[in-house]
Amino acid sequence: MVKERIEVKKIADVTIATCNDMKLNDDLVIQEWGDQLLELLDDVSCRKLVVDFSKVLFMSSSALRALITLNKKIKEAKSALVLCAIDDNIMEAFRITRLDNVFTIKRDQDESIRSFQ
């Protein structure tokens, strides 16, 4: 049985996926996590997605690749993606790879939800 890698809730028309793992560095974990995020896009009502990283303390480059794939699928579906609550150390990896220019990144869920308006 696959562990739930994300906790999903809806606030109005925004889907919020909170990552349950503290570390996104194991290939199997990243595959399951990425698949569960992509499955959210199968729901036609999921057009505004927030991925909350408040529990995540470490993320490997494989997890970053999974996010890039998610972002591509989001754009194909004409949906919007916002990342939030990213740890400072992980944020440094986003800056180094210039992914902070690719993704919309907000401080928390509330700021993320407001950014869609």
Side-chain angles (χ1 to χ4, degrees):
M1 184 172 143
V2 175
K3 178 183 181 231
E4 288 302 315
R5 300 288 173 197
I6 56 173
E7 185 178 312
V8 180
K9 69 180 179 183
K10 278 263 219 219
I11 296 178
D13 62 343
V14 179
T15 303
I16 299 171
T18 302
C19 303
N20 287 329
D21 293 282
M22 288 177 59
K23 293 182 178 181
L24 292 172
N25 62 339
D26 175 85
D27 286 341
L28 179 62
V29 169
I30 293 166
Q31 182 68 49
E32 291 173 353
W33 171 74
D35 289 349
Q36 289 172 21
L37 286 171
L38 288 171
E39 281 174 23
L40 294 175
L41 300 180
D42 292 340
D43 181 350
V44 293
S45 70
C46 182
R47 291 294 161 245
K48 298 174 183 174
L49 177 61
V50 174
V51 181
D52 182 330
F53 290 95
S54 55
K55 298 177 185 175
V56 181
L57 301 176
F58 182 81
M59 184 184 300
S60 72
S61 58
S62 295
L64 292 176
R65 277 193 299 279
L67 278 176
I68 292 166
T69 300
L70 176 67
N71 195 42
K72 183 177 175 231
K73 298 285 185 195
I74 287 270
K75 284 182 176 7
E76 288 171 3
K78 297 193 179 5
S79 300
L81 173 66
V82 176
L83 311 180
C84 75
I86 298 176
D87 178 85
D88 289 343
N89 293 324
I90 297 171
M91 198 59 215
E92 189 60 28
F94 275 82
R95 283 189 203 96
I96 290 168
T97 58
R98 295 208 167 102
L99 288 174
D100 58 331
N101 297 320
V102 173
F103 294 100
T104 302
I105 302 172
K106 299 296 178 185
R107 197 173 53 248
D108 55 32
Q109 287 184 14
D110 290 339
E111 194 177 294
S112 299
I113 292 166
R114 283 194 303 275
S115 76
F116 288 115
Q117 294 156 359

